[in-house]
Amino acid sequence: MALNSYRTGPDEKGHFGNYGGRYVSETLMPLVMQVEQEFKAAMQDEKFLAELDELNRQYIGRPSPLYYAERLTEHLGGAKIYFKREELNHTGAHKINHAIGQVLLAKRMGKTRVIAETGAGQHGVATATVAARFGLKCTVFMGEVDIERQKPNVFRMKLLGAEVKPVTSGSATLKDAMNDALRDWVTNVHDTFYIIGTVAGPHPYPMMVRDFQSIIGRETKEQILAQEGRLPDSLVACIGGGSNALGLFHDFLDDPDVQMFAVEASGHGVDTDKNAASIAGGKPGVLHGNRTYLLQTEDGQIEEAHSISAGLDYPGIGPEHVWLHEAGRVNYVSATDDEAMEAFQLCCRTEGIIPALESSHGLAHIIRTAGDLPKDHICVLNLSGRGDKDIFTVAKELGQEI
Amino acid sequence: MSRLTPCLAALRAENHAAFVTFVTAGDPNHETSFEILMGLPGAGADIIELGMPFTDPSADGPAIDKAAQRAIKAGANMKKTLSMVTAFRAAGHETPIVLMGYFNPIYAYGIEKFCTDAATAGVDGLIVVDLPPEEDAELLEPANANNIDIVRLATPTSDDARLPAIVNGASGFVYYVAVAGVTGGKSASADDIGEAVNRIRKYTDLPVAVGFGIRTAEQAGAIAKHADAAVVGSAIVSLIENGIDADGTPKGDLVENVLNFTQTLANGVRSGR
């Protein structure tokens, strides 16, 4: 179906076609509606936008460079590859973009405490960072299993003054951390703002996180026009919940000649029970406040996701992505753990950049396809995070002790 | 009309509040859970809420979360939950049953088919905690068409602007969640609850049940003074948790303990007014 615009969603109740919405308990309903009102007002408020802009430049270090990956391009022998260097942001990933926006909103709403869920710890670190910057109390929910896997980030959060609460409910991973964050929020509605870490959750979160992240695409457009004098032919980003992908894509959705590829984590393979590819292996359902594609059993029970990258290890995906998938505007593909590991190492050696395992999934798609593309094909990868946090996982995978 | 309205009307005519119990279907296993269900009417339950297990019960506290995980581990699913209700009715029980849970298992089952099968089994009402009025039209219509009530939730955060939308379309009763929080958490004061119930009554003639934070017979009795029904869930479910071995096997006195406690709570509600 061809639409006049892919950028008009969501509707006023937060639906992207059949997806999205507000599936939360009644206690939270008035609160999420208030968040929506405040967000809309803030985005019309010159003072709010000026403060956001100032923080983006001086605190996060924006704009992030659009970098021509020359040696990788030569190595692959086809398309011209650019990296949007979100890994150079303060805290080392794109997560800070929406964390800073949401903390400003929390402050505007007079909230004194923020909470967040985290898997790999990147969103938790970003939230702890902005909470410290604005003097707000911060509690981060993290699955017991992930706390063990991501010790450096746990310590980072603590250094930043956050309380890290181990989650033991359910399967003790990211989805359960989100459940516990919702439980905390419903109990502390009066003083607490929930900083959600991706383009999912009840409306307005998918829209709000997208709007704070879409600075990635706006900058990219300006930079590629300056550097190449034209729009790119393709955009590539990894996708778990989908915040970095939508951040890059959103500004280009109505440019019909720009192809887009979102790369899901297929773990051991989409045909195995160890993957995190909600588009490839999931079906529609309702979880964490929105209707979207979910990895689930016949009986509607949510399945655990698996990916080598903890940041993609989630059994759902943002609702706008499902809509873009069904509309055929964005291509959803996948990469396995092994492909991501190869991409990770190639990036280290050809570009001198240690990429996050998450971003390595996007790169894996480029490695698979770039060689067959003409040399004048311009491809932009969202290098969404740096891989310092992943060195322990990678070492283990390579059978090396550090 | 489901069994809920006549049941609550009859109790109201006798100047009694209803005692509503919650247990999770299939907890700790199908057989024991069914035994508990069969015993609840005799232990004083006027209405039974039967939890539909879900992996991610984000509005519930630890007690009911663990109950759901136990049930799923023991093989619970929607078909078995409905079969439990069928068998309960086949045994001649007329106590109203309200299925309570989250939307995804219903959605996965197929909404229309779920409503038909639930009605055939003998279900009277549904409480779907993550389906606010703004999103429940697709369930409300097929449920009502099958004489199943949609029980909506009102909470301390439901202001006067929202209450009319909540009660509009609700049937059976309105469930007042007494505290902003999860199940099994803090308790609200009886005065606050009385005030809230009166506020809800300004907008509806439906009976108002109160739940969340009610753990003892005394608390249940105090609620019964103000509300049309008092709901106890986590306190009962915790007894199931305490009544199983480390490997999940029910101890011999589990069912008896649960039903004795239920009777104590029922007596509390009865003596409330």
Side-chain angles (χ1 to χ4, degrees):
Chain A
M1 177 178 58
L3 298 175
N4 291 329
S5 173
Y6 291 93
R7 302 182 59 202
T8 56
D11 69 16
E12 60 183 31
K13 284 183 175 175
H15 295 109
F16 299 93
N18 290 323
Y19 302 96
R22 266 195 280 240
Y23 295 85
V24 293
S25 64
E26 177 55 32
T27 310
L28 287 177
M29 272 307 276
L31 197 67
V32 296
M33 292 168 99
Q34 198 195 350
V35 171
E36 181 200 353
Q37 284 163 9
E38 289 284 346
F39 171 67
K40 284 183 171 163
M43 296 306 267
Q44 303 293 322
D45 178 348
E46 292 300 327
K47 204 170 146 241
F48 180 91
L49 293 173
E51 191 176 7
L52 180 62
D53 184 58
E54 173 80 6
L55 286 160
N56 274 335
R57 284 185 291 110
Q58 307 294 356
Y59 191 65
I60 299 181
R62 303 207 69 90
S64 67
L66 183 68
Y67 162 77
Y68 170 41
E70 189 176 359
R71 287 199 67 226
L72 182 71
T73 299
E74 278 168 19
H75 177 86
L76 297 175
K80 188 171 186 184
I81 316 296
Y82 280 86
F83 290 168
K84 178 62 174 165
R85 307 268 322 256
E86 289 297 299
E87 104 281 11
L88 292 177
N89 294 339
H90 180 39
T91 72
H94 72 289
K95 295 287 183 194
I96 193 80
N97 298 333
H98 62 232
I100 204 93
Q102 289 187 69
V103 82
L104 284 182
L105 197 61
K107 203 175 65 133
R108 184 186 162 95
M109 292 174 73
K111 304 293 182 185
T112 55
R113 176 175 177 264
V114 294
I115 57 172
E117 83 292 340
T118 198
Q122 290 306 99
H123 174 62
V125 167
T127 302
T129 298
V130 297
R133 169 63 183 77
F134 287 97
L136 302 180
K137 281 185 284 184
C138 177
T139 302
V140 178
F141 294 88
M142 190 168 182
E144 236 180 10
V145 177
D146 291 329
I147 286 183
E148 196 50 42
R149 290 198 284 202
Q150 304 286 340
K151 282 181 183 163
N153 271 345
V154 174
F155 186 60
R156 235 168 246 148
M157 287 185 265
K158 288 180 179 167
L159 283 174
L160 292 160
E163 175 196 19
V164 180
K165 273 207 174 160
V167 173
T168 56
S169 61
S171 56
T173 57
L174 177 57
K175 76 177 177 71
D176 308 287
M178 195 149 180
N179 290 334
D180 270 17
L182 285 166
R183 290 174 180 127
D184 181 293
W185 201 23
V186 85
T187 310
N188 299 293
V189 282
H190 55 288
D191 69 351
T192 298
F193 187 97
Y194 182 11
I195 297 187
I196 292 184
T198 191
V199 286
H203 179 61
Y205 281 92
M207 170 181 80
M208 176 165 72
V209 171
R210 175 198 72 195
D211 289 350
F212 288 135
Q213 287 293 353
S214 61
I215 191 166
I216 301 173
R218 283 199 304 277
E219 287 177 5
T220 301
K221 194 176 248 186
E222 205 171 287
Q223 289 165 322
I224 200 77
L225 288 173
Q227 289 166 236
E228 290 280 353
R230 68 175 181 92
L231 293 179
D233 298 290
S234 61
L235 305 174
V236 178
C238 65
I239 182 163
S243 60
N244 93 77
L246 210 46
L248 175 64
F249 297 166
H250 193 252
D251 218 57
F252 293 94
L253 286 174
D254 289 338
D255 297 311
D257 295 333
V258 181
Q259 284 188 296
M260 300 179 192
F261 297 89
V263 187
E264 294 192 293
S266 55
H268 296 188
V270 279
D271 301 330
T272 71
D273 62 356
K274 289 202 177 305
N275 76 81
S278 313
I279 295 272
K283 58 179 185 181
V286 171
L287 181 71
H288 295 152
N290 57 174
R291 186 185 308 216
T292 187
Y293 280 20
L294 300 167
L295 299 179
Q296 56 183 315
T297 66
E298 282 292 302
D299 198 44
Q301 306 296 350
I302 308 304
E303 293 183 295
E304 278 179 60
H306 166 84
S307 167
I308 190 172
S309 107
L312 304 180
D313 206 347
Y314 179 71
I317 185 169
E320 189 166 5
H321 283 292
V322 176
W323 181 77
L324 289 168
H325 164 66
E326 291 190 352
R329 177 64 187 97
V330 176
N331 303 288
Y332 291 82
V333 296
S334 64
T336 63
D337 287 354
D338 289 347
E339 289 174 306
M341 275 292 296
E342 267 177 50
F344 178 95
Q345 294 171 81
L346 184 67
C347 188
C348 291
R349 288 180 196 155
T350 57
E351 292 297 341
I353 295 172
I354 302 177
L357 276 172
E358 288 79 9
S359 322
S360 301
H361 285 75
L363 190 55
H365 172 76
I366 291 177
I367 292 171
R368 265 193 321 236
T369 55
D372 296 332
L373 294 168
K375 287 189 191 307
D376 63 353
H377 179 108
I378 299 171
C379 173
V380 177
L381 170 74
N382 192 353
L383 194 65
S384 53
R386 69 177 185 220
D388 306 53
K389 69 184 174 57
D390 294 316
I391 55 172
F392 300 99
T393 307
V394 171
K396 199 176 153 203
E397 208 53 33
L398 296 173
Q400 294 180 22
E401 273 196 39
I402 51 173
Chain B
M1 188 188 290
S2 83
R3 296 173 188 81
L4 282 170
T5 302
C7 166
L8 287 159
L11 286 165
R12 187 181 267 185
E14 295 165 18
N15 193 29
H16 283 310
F19 172 45
V20 184
T21 60
F22 173 93
V23 288
T24 299
D27 173 33
N29 59 44
H30 188 78
E31 295 70 29
T32 310
S33 181
F34 183 63
E35 216 182 308
I36 293 170
L37 178 66
M38 290 291 284
L40 287 174
D46 297 308
I47 294 171
I48 298 167
E49 285 179 12
L50 192 58
M52 299 174 280
F54 182 47
T55 39
D56 294 75
S58 60
D60 283 297
I64 292 177
D65 175 36
K66 285 188 207 158
Q69 310 302 338
R70 283 195 297 271
I72 292 166
K73 206 175 155 199
N77 59 37
M78 192 65 92
K79 278 204 177 99
K80 286 188 187 172
T81 299
L82 295 177
S83 77
M84 208 177 264
V85 180
T86 305
F88 180 79
R89 293 283 176 239
H93 285 301
E94 286 301 312
T95 307
I97 290 189
V98 177
L99 294 183
M100 183 166 187
Y102 295 78
F103 189 45
N104 201 54
I106 295 174
Y107 188 66
Y109 192 94
I111 298 172
E112 297 271 348
K113 182 170 159 46
F114 171 78
C115 291
T116 316
D117 289 0
T120 307
V123 169
D124 299 287
L126 295 173
I127 302 175
V128 187
V129 294
D130 57 352
L131 209 54
E134 284 83 350
E135 303 284 0
D136 76 0
E138 63 184 318
L139 180 65
L140 188 76
E141 285 167 28
N144 289 349
N146 284 284
N147 292 321
I148 294 176
D149 293 312
I150 294 291
V151 174
R152 293 241 185 90
L153 304 173
T155 71
T157 59
S158 312
D159 55 21
D160 288 302
R162 273 191 75 72
L163 281 173
I166 291 169
V167 301
N168 179 21
S171 58
F173 59 92
V174 172
Y175 187 137
Y176 179 63
V177 173
V179 288
V182 293
T183 50
K186 298 175 290 195
S187 306
S189 78
D191 285 350
D192 285 351
I193 288 171
E195 202 177 299
V197 169
N198 288 335
R199 199 160 61 85
I200 295 166
R201 284 190 174 133
K202 280 196 290 184
Y203 298 98
T204 182
D205 295 328
L206 287 172
V208 180
V210 173
F212 280 50
I214 308 174
R215 272 193 274 299
T216 66
E218 292 70 34
Q219 286 171 327
I223 299 297
K225 284 189 178 56
H226 298 286
D228 298 294
V231 188
V232 182
S234 296
I236 298 174
V237 168
S238 295
L239 279 186
I240 298 178
E241 184 181 355
N242 296 334
I244 53 174
D245 293 336
D247 66 352
T249 313
K251 297 175 192 165
D253 56 356
L254 186 156
V255 175
E256 191 189 337
N257 285 345
V258 168
L259 295 178
N260 284 344
F261 180 59
T262 304
Q263 186 65 62
T264 311
L265 293 165
N267 296 342
V269 173
R270 274 293 180 278
S271 61
R273 60 172 147 121

